[in-house]
Amino acid sequence: MDGFTIRLQAKKLAIRAGRPIAILHEDVARQLGIFPLDRIEIKNPKTKKKIVAIIDVTDSMVSSSEVGLFEDVIKKLKVQEGSSLQVRAVERPKSVEYIKKKILGEALTEKEIKTIVKDLDENKLSDVEAGAFMSAVYIRGYNMQETVAMTKALIENGKRIKFDVSPVVDKHSIGGINGRATMVIVPIVAAAKLYIPKTSSRSITSAAGTADAMEVLANVCLMPEEIKEITESIGGVICWGGALNLAPVDEKIIKVEYPLSLNPQGQIIASVLAKKAAVGSKYVVVDIPVGPGLKIENNEQGEQLAEKFIAVGRRLGMRIEAVLTDGTQPSGPAFGPALEARHAMQILERKCFDSLAQKSCELAGVLFELVGKADRGKGFALAKKLLKTGKALKKMRQIIKAQGAKILSSKRIELAPYTEQVFASDEGEIARINVRRLINIARIAGASYDKGAGVLLNVEIGDDVGKGGLLYTIFAENKRKLMLASREAKRNSGIELGKIILKKIS
Amino acid sequence: MDGFTIRLQAKKLAIRAGRPIAILHEDVARQLGIFPLDRIEIKNPKTKKKIVAIIDVTDSMVSSSEVGLFEDVIKKLKVQEGSSLQVRAVERPKSVEYIKKKILGEALTEKEIKTIVKDLDENKLSDVEAGAFMSAVYIRGYNMQETVAMTKALIENGKRIKFDVSPVVDKHSIGGINGRATMVIVPIVAAAKLYIPKTSSRSITSAAGTADAMEVLANVCLMPEEIKEITESIGGVICWGGALNLAPVDEKIIKVEYPLSLNPQGQIIASVLAKKAAVGSKYVVVDIPVGPGLKIENNEQGEQLAEKFIAVGRRLGMRIEAVLTDGTQPSGPAFGPALEARHAMQILERKCFDSLAQKSCELAGVLFELVGKADRGKGFALAKKLLKTGKALKKMRQIIKAQGAKILSSKRIELAPYTEQVFASDEGEIARINVRRLINIARIAGASYDKGAGVLLNVEIGDDVGKGGLLYTIFAENKRKLMLASREAKRNSGIELGKIILKKIS
């Protein structure tokens, strides 16, 4: 395809596509012998800058003497409207061939995976190619070598933070849905003099991410130097990982996975471990919530994933312990940033010790045993002691202060002002709580964008409620959102009562 | 996800994406709880028009009080710059769920396939989703029901031409690469008083498509009424199928398949038969060229495909005969529109009877036997007779005249003025002709855009050549293209000589 060069005039199009795109008239495309999604090299003879762009074809937007340029291209070429550019067809990048290889079911080499990651990083692949790749990875899977290679490639394409202290440890949950165990675990772990630089995400489809909840109490947008400094001096941070560029290609892959909820196991492992390796974690406990409708649907899948996590970690010099947890039930009563932050603070303040507190101590305990801070079987007791003596709370307050303190106590957390209570329409035992539905109601009420909005449960599985008993409270920032959320709750509260008579036959 | 509505001001972006795309500020996206590639419904309260658009997210192109609109959206909503629009998040279309189902390896129902085709037609799917779908179809395959459903869905979403004559017959080649058998077969078949409204494609990766070659002799951009009229009165047409809208979704699918050369068997069958059914063909002969590097790599694949073609055709009320042909060798000596048109005319003018003429008569013969125009085993003789008596040539001239005659004789066809001859650098027997390489040289010389450009072979497999013997001639419209093409030919002529001594060991 590397043929002759033609000259075209630049026509600027004020669009940022996130990748270099150029528009050719269909006659020009035919002359170059290329089609939509093929590539051209564009050279600006004045600035000597070159770029490879993916083309689309039009019969009207640009004339046959012009090439339409998106912003990414304009910037790179430093081009003026109307300047004369040299355009020629070029081959597709090698990674397109490797994607086809994966589609055909062959394993990729380390070099091939690195090339794909590099081309994703440099936005050289079209959406069609990226979508086809993730679909193929989902269907074909990665073997161990491929998973390790993908992890390494993601690490190499990102920034790293190097710590002068040790041991650096971490905790990760695969698609946890509510309850901020992280905000309890990090201060417990740091109180035991381990170092835990926890980078968290914002909500995608949940009512709050850890970064959203922590932001209620402190600043979560930290620079790498701040993360290093606070972790080394205090033992822990809880910050937002999104702006750190720790594994930028991972963000792009997640964007491609998102529309079809494609979560190939190997890609999950690479995504998690790359981010952990980027902050130098040597010991990681991975929490794998299991349940129908979750990323991991059953124990068998969970165990497979756990074993792979451990094996891949070993090849990267990391010690990993993975635990399966019940992902079908809510982790605590709160859905929404401020509500979840308040509940985590209440646990640290020793106002309650519920299932979320139990889970947090268990996970911290696993980490203590992994590092050798506690003997086998003694980790949980150490974690609970650090919580019960108030050492974890003290550590949390140090962390909050170091991250530009907003709020140090659960009592000071503001919730949204408009509330509506949702009551049981019958009497019975709480049989099932539809977490996904409560999250939807919390989101309609404004979470996670409105920090104070959400849902606060008043019941747990197995509780007996009378007719008219309080099930939960909805919080919203204004009447309209409250009305929309409570209308949704009335349609279906998400709380199922156990019936003694299952069916009447008459 | 169906939550509240917010108001945003329209900001026009003069970009046509071929699908409805809108740009939101990242704060607005967070407020709506949505991510890039999610969908919003946009309503213009003034015109009452609504549209669902796929979003992308920016932190600078539009402000948090604006929504950026691509041209497709602007047109549909009839919106003015700055007008107030109602925006709300909406669920993904159902077809996204069905694509996921296909990725998971489940068969799709007829209704699900129709929904996907409809959403492709209405541009409701993103490139990521479309790419993931074609990758999954390639890996998982279609079963018989799915293939039939896809064919029906493609037909229903396109235009049809109904003929008042019968039998309407057709011929199709799966990825033939050079040599215009169609231009010989159509007049032979029409001369036998069958009706053959042949729609053809332009070149994609070859040196010429049938439409490109026929365009040298006549107008190939016919309207549906013209196709009907000419076919009914003369018996055949050879026109370009691209602008007829016979299976518009098929064009979109081909665009998605193109970058990764994804050609799932079931999709090939649906694509071919939908276009045949759209012109009412009841009898079709399908030519399946077989060879390494082609769409169909070996006989086993070819036979499988042939059987499926016949079975799917039966369910659609079509009688199909499929033949496997050797796709590794050139079909005639010509590469390029004018050269290939000239060669086809030379066959019709009885100036030569080579392998392409033989193939054309065989395929026409299969069609005669299928329709009952000739007894089993007698089709080829009838075809050859129609060719040899000049009836086919007479019919071809009628067709050319009906299609706005340009040229009626091979002698009048103009080739490109600049030529260069390529000679053997050694002596020996011609062992292999690398067709792909000759096509590349023809394309560098300007084909198919330059109609007169291309390559004309002077040798066949098995010929003996002396050192310095003529292998082929390159034709180009200007010196530069000729120079580039002959440089490529010098690097590697694509013609391999058989060596008696394979290796010297010393």
Side-chain angles (χ1 to χ4, degrees):
Chain A
M1 196 144 62
D2 288 287
F4 51 93
T5 302
I6 56 172
R7 287 206 166 241
L8 296 171
Q9 287 183 325
K11 177 171 181 179
K12 289 188 184 187
L13 304 169
I15 287 294
R16 200 151 21 126
R19 68 168 51 85
I21 291 180
I23 313 279
L24 294 180
H25 190 275
E26 57 183 21
D27 285 348
V28 176
R30 281 191 70 202
Q31 195 180 349
L32 288 169
I34 55 178
F35 287 81
L37 303 185
D38 273 332
R39 272 90 175 167
I40 52 172
E41 184 196 83
I42 311 174
K43 190 178 167 184
N44 184 350
K46 271 190 199 153
T47 61
K48 309 270 186 216
K49 304 278 180 195
K50 288 197 276 199
I51 190 168
V52 171
I54 295 170
I55 69 150
D56 212 338
V57 168
T58 176
D59 60 357
S60 63
M61 268 171 62
V62 301
S63 76
S64 58
S65 62
E66 292 172 328
V67 51
L69 306 176
F70 278 30
E71 274 195 7
D72 311 73
V73 181
I74 297 168
K75 223 182 252 179
K76 181 76 187 287
L77 293 177
K78 297 191 178 160
V79 80
Q80 300 302 316
E81 182 80 14
S83 10
S84 170
L85 298 174
Q86 293 167 358
V87 171
R88 68 185 183 94
V90 292
E91 294 289 340
R92 298 185 184 118
K94 274 279 177 195
S95 51
V96 173
E97 192 183 298
Y98 306 150
I99 290 171
K100 181 67 180 280
K101 192 177 164 188
K102 190 77 219 171
I103 290 172
L104 289 170
E106 291 171 61
L108 299 178
T109 66
E110 183 167 341
K111 200 177 149 220
E112 288 165 349
I113 287 182
K114 280 191 183 171
T115 306
I116 292 173
V117 167
K118 187 169 162 282
D119 285 347
L120 281 167
D121 189 37
E122 295 171 3
N123 300 311
K124 284 185 178 167
L125 294 172
S126 72
D127 276 352
V128 165
E129 290 151 354
F133 178 60
M134 285 324 298
S135 168
V137 169
Y138 186 85
I139 297 172
R140 303 293 193 182
Y142 286 141
N143 64 26
M144 182 59 58
Q145 285 72 29
E146 288 176 293
T147 310
V148 172
M150 175 54 76
T151 314
K152 283 188 188 169
L154 293 179
I155 298 168
E156 284 170 19
N157 272 273
K159 284 219 170 63
R160 292 194 228 189
I161 305 178
K162 289 216 171 109
F163 292 94
D164 299 320
V165 291
S166 79
V168 177
V169 303
D170 217 329
K171 171 259 165 189
H172 190 89
S173 178
I174 309 295
I177 29 185
N178 82 312
R180 306 280 52 108
T182 298
M183 292 172 69
V184 181
I185 295 169
V186 169
I188 292 177
V189 168
K193 298 198 167 38
L194 304 179
Y195 299 93
I196 181 163
K198 181 78 186 89
T199 61
S200 304
S201 54
R202 294 192 184 278
S203 148
I204 294 185
T205 53
S206 64
T210 296
D212 301 313
M214 186 67 185
E215 201 169 34
V216 172
L217 311 177
N219 170 32
V220 294
C221 299
L222 303 182
M223 303 295 290
E225 312 81 63
E226 294 174 296
I227 294 173
K228 181 176 159 67
E229 195 195 310
I230 301 172
T231 302
E232 290 183 351
S233 60
I234 294 172
V237 298
I238 301 168
C239 66
W240 178 47
L244 291 169
N245 240 8
L246 291 179
V249 181
D250 187 49
E251 304 291 321
K252 288 179 187 175
I253 290 173
I254 288 169
K255 189 174 157 178
V256 176
E257 291 174 328
Y258 171 70
L260 286 154
S261 320
L262 297 172
N263 293 298
Q265 284 207 350
Q267 199 66 48
I268 294 177
I269 294 171
S271 168
V272 170
L273 294 188
K275 281 179 270 191
K276 301 307 166 195
V279 293
S281 303
K282 289 273 178 252
Y283 303 88
V284 182
V285 56
V286 180
D287 168 22
I288 305 177
V290 176
L294 301 184
K295 279 187 192 174
I296 306 300
E297 303 234 350
N298 55 51
N299 280 351
E300 201 191 325
Q301 279 181 21
E303 281 162 28
Q304 266 183 22
L305 181 62
E307 278 167 27
K308 283 187 202 160
F309 253 115
I310 292 165
V312 175
R314 195 179 297 129
R315 304 240 190 149
L316 296 164
M318 297 162 85
R319 286 204 56 198
I320 292 177
E321 184 122 356
V323 296
L324 307 190
T325 54
D326 180 1
T328 57
Q329 292 313 317
S331 293
F335 295 81
L339 286 162
E340 294 185 42
R342 190 177 72 157
H343 182 64
M345 285 305 286
Q346 285 167 342
I347 291 172
L348 290 168
E349 291 163 358
R350 290 154 289 163
K351 289 185 175 145
C352 68
F353 191 89
D354 63 351
S355 61
L356 184 65
Q358 175 74 21
K359 182 181 174 180
S360 304
C361 288
E362 284 181 15
L363 287 171
V366 170
L367 213 38
F368 292 155
E369 294 175 17
L370 189 62
V371 181
K373 195 85 194 175
D375 290 339
R376 283 277 147 194
K378 308 280 186 192
F380 174 73
L382 172 58
K384 198 163 177 185
K385 196 180 131 202
L386 291 166
L387 181 63
K388 287 289 176 194
T389 55
K391 284 189 180 165
L393 177 63
K394 198 177 148 197
K395 187 53 75 180
M396 184 62 164
R397 289 188 172 149
Q398 289 176 355
I399 292 170
I400 294 172
K401 279 181 195 161
Q403 291 185 207
K406 293 182 193 165
I407 289 168
L408 289 164
S409 152
S410 66
K411 274 183 283 181
R412 306 285 301 276
I413 294 171
E414 272 183 44
L415 302 179
Y418 294 88
T419 62
E420 175 130 347
Q421 296 184 312
V422 176
F423 301 104
S425 57
D426 212 337
E427 63 173 3
E429 187 184 310
I430 306 290
R432 192 167 165 265
I433 298 177
N434 185 335
V435 173
R436 193 68 246 166
R437 185 140 193 95
L438 293 182
I439 289 172
N440 278 344
I441 294 167
R443 286 172 70 90
I444 293 172
S448 63
Y449 185 76
D450 297 336
K451 289 259 190 280
V455 165
L456 185 63
L457 275 172
N458 195 48
V459 291
E460 287 183 9
I461 303 278
D463 285 1
D464 283 316
V465 289
K467 187 172 174 179
L470 177 63
L471 296 177
Y472 54 81
T473 308
I474 304 172
F475 294 78
E477 284 296 339
N478 62 47
K479 282 184 186 169
R480 203 153 152 274
K481 290 182 186 178
L482 187 68
M483 186 271 288
L484 288 167
S486 55
R487 193 170 67 186
E488 192 66 16
K490 263 166 210 146
R491 217 159 60 78
N492 174 351
S493 71
I495 312 280
E496 288 170 31
L497 297 178
K499 295 267 163 65
I500 289 162
I501 297 169
L502 289 175
K503 201 175 174 183
K504 267 192 240 176
I505 296 151
S506 55
Chain B
M1 195 142 67
D2 287 288
F4 51 92
T5 302
I6 57 174
R7 286 205 166 245
L8 296 170
Q9 288 182 326
K11 178 171 181 178
K12 289 190 184 185
L13 303 170
I15 286 295
R16 200 153 19 128
R19 66 169 53 86
I21 292 181
I23 312 279
L24 295 179
H25 190 273
E26 58 183 19
D27 285 348
V28 176
R30 282 191 69 203
Q31 196 181 345
L32 289 170
I34 56 179
F35 287 82
L37 302 185
D38 274 333
R39 273 90 175 166
I40 53 172
E41 185 196 81
I42 311 173
K43 190 178 167 183
N44 184 353
K46 271 191 201 156
T47 61
K48 310 268 186 218
K49 302 278 181 195
K50 288 197 277 198
I51 191 169
V52 170
I54 296 169
I55 68 149
D56 211 338
V57 168
T58 177
D59 61 357
S60 63
M61 265 170 65
V62 301
S63 78
S64 57
S65 63
E66 294 172 328
V67 52
L69 306 176
F70 277 32
E71 273 194 10
D72 311 75
V73 181
I74 296 167
K75 223 181 249 178
K76 181 77 188 284
L77 292 177
K78 297 190 179 159
V79 78
Q80 300 302 315
E81 183 81 14
S83 7
S84 171
L85 298 174
Q86 293 166 359
V87 172
R88 69 183 182 95
V90 292
E91 295 289 341
R92 298 185 184 119
K94 275 282 177 192
S95 51
V96 174
E97 194 183 295
Y98 306 150
I99 291 171
K100 181 67 180 279
K101 192 176 164 190
K102 191 75 220 171
I103 291 172
L104 289 170
E106 291 170 61
L108 299 179
T109 66
E110 182 165 342
K111 200 175 151 225
E112 288 165 346
I113 287 181
K114 279 191 182 170
T115 307
I116 292 174
V117 167
K118 188 169 163 284
D119 285 349
L120 280 167
D121 190 35
E122 295 170 2
N123 300 310
K124 284 186 178 166
L125 293 171
S126 72
D127 277 352
V128 165
E129 290 151 354
F133 178 59
M134 285 324 299
S135 168
V137 170
Y138 187 84
I139 297 172
R140 303 293 194 184
Y142 285 140
N143 64 27
M144 183 59 58
Q145 285 73 28
E146 289 175 292
T147 310
V148 172
M150 175 54 76
T151 313
K152 283 188 188 167
L154 292 179
I155 298 168
E156 282 170 20
N157 272 273
K159 284 218 168 64
R160 292 194 226 188
I161 305 176
K162 291 216 171 109
F163 293 93
D164 300 319
V165 291
S166 78
V168 177
V169 305
D170 217 330
K171 170 261 167 190
H172 190 89
S173 177
I174 310 295
I177 29 186
N178 82 312
R180 307 280 49 108
T182 297
M183 292 172 68
V184 181
I185 294 170
V186 169
I188 292 176
V189 168
K193 299 202 166 37
L194 303 180
Y195 298 93
I196 181 163
K198 181 78 186 89
T199 60
S200 305
S201 54
R202 294 194 184 276
S203 149
I204 294 184
T205 54
S206 64
T210 296
D212 301 313
M214 186 67 185
E215 202 169 31
V216 172
L217 311 178
N219 171 30
V220 294
C221 299
L222 302 183
M223 303 295 290
E225 311 80 69
E226 294 175 295
I227 294 173
K228 181 175 157 68
E229 195 195 308
I230 300 171
T231 303
E232 291 182 352
S233 60
I234 294 174
V237 297
I238 301 168
C239 66
W240 180 47
L244 291 170
N245 241 6
L246 293 178
V249 181
D250 187 51
E251 302 292 322
K252 288 179 188 175
I253 289 172
I254 288 170
K255 189 173 157 179
V256 175
E257 291 175 327
Y258 171 69
L260 286 152
S261 320
L262 297 172
N263 293 299
Q265 283 207 351
Q267 198 65 49
I268 293 177
I269 294 170
S271 168
V272 171
L273 294 188
K275 280 179 273 190
K276 302 305 165 197
V279 293
S281 303
K282 290 275 178 249
Y283 303 87
V284 181
V285 55
V286 179
D287 168 22
I288 305 177
V290 176
L294 300 184
K295 279 186 191 175
I296 305 303
E297 303 233 352
N298 54 53
N299 280 350
E300 201 192 324
Q301 279 181 24
E303 282 162 26
Q304 267 183 22
L305 181 63
E307 279 167 26
K308 283 188 201 159
F309 253 115
I310 292 165
V312 174
R314 195 178 301 129
R315 303 241 190 146
L316 295 164
M318 296 161 87
R319 286 204 57 196
I320 293 176
E321 183 121 358
V323 297
L324 307 190
T325 53
D326 180 0
T328 57
Q329 291 313 319
S331 293
F335 296 81
L339 286 162
E340 294 184 41
R342 191 177 70 157
H343 182 64
M345 286 303 288
Q346 285 168 341
I347 291 171
L348 290 167
E349 290 162 358
R350 291 155 286 163
K351 289 182 176 149
C352 68
F353 191 89
D354 63 353
S355 60
L356 184 67
Q358 175 76 21
K359 182 181 173 182
S360 304
C361 288
E362 285 180 16
L363 288 171
V366 170
L367 213 39
F368 291 154
E369 294 175 19
L370 188 64
V371 181
K373 196 86 197 173
D375 290 337
R376 284 277 149 193
K378 310 277 185 192
F380 173 73
L382 173 57
K384 198 163 174 184
K385 194 180 132 201
L386 292 166
L387 181 62
K388 288 286 177 194
T389 55
K391 286 190 178 161
L393 176 64
K394 197 177 149 200
K395 188 53 76 178
M396 183 62 163
R397 288 189 172 146
Q398 288 176 356
I399 292 170
I400 294 173
K401 279 181 194 159
Q403 292 185 210
K406 292 182 193 167
I407 290 168
L408 289 165
S409 150
S410 66
K411 274 182 282 180
R412 306 282 301 274
I413 295 170
E414 271 183 45
L415 303 178
Y418 294 88
T419 61
E420 174 131 346
Q421 295 185 311
V422 176
F423 301 104
S425 57
D426 212 338
E427 62 174 4
E429 187 184 308
I430 306 289
R432 190 165 168 267
I433 296 176
N434 184 335
V435 174
R436 193 69 247 165
R437 187 142 190 92
L438 292 182
I439 289 171
N440 278 344
I441 294 167
R443 287 172 69 88
I444 293 172
S448 63
Y449 185 77
D450 297 337
K451 289 260 189 282
V455 166
L456 183 64
L457 274 171
N458 194 49
V459 290
E460 286 182 9
I461 302 277
D463 285 0
D464 282 313
V465 289
K467 187 173 174 180
L470 178 62
L471 297 177
Y472 54 83
T473 308
I474 304 172
F475 293 77
E477 285 296 339
N478 62 46
K479 281 185 185 170
R480 208 161 144 269
K481 289 182 185 180
L482 186 68
M483 186 272 289
L484 287 166
S486 56
R487 194 170 66 186
E488 192 66 17
K490 263 166 209 147
R491 217 161 57 78
N492 175 348
S493 71
I495 312 282
E496 287 170 32
L497 297 179
K499 295 266 164 65
I500 291 161
I501 297 169
L502 289 174
K503 201 176 172 182
K504 264 193 239 176
I505 295 149
S506 57

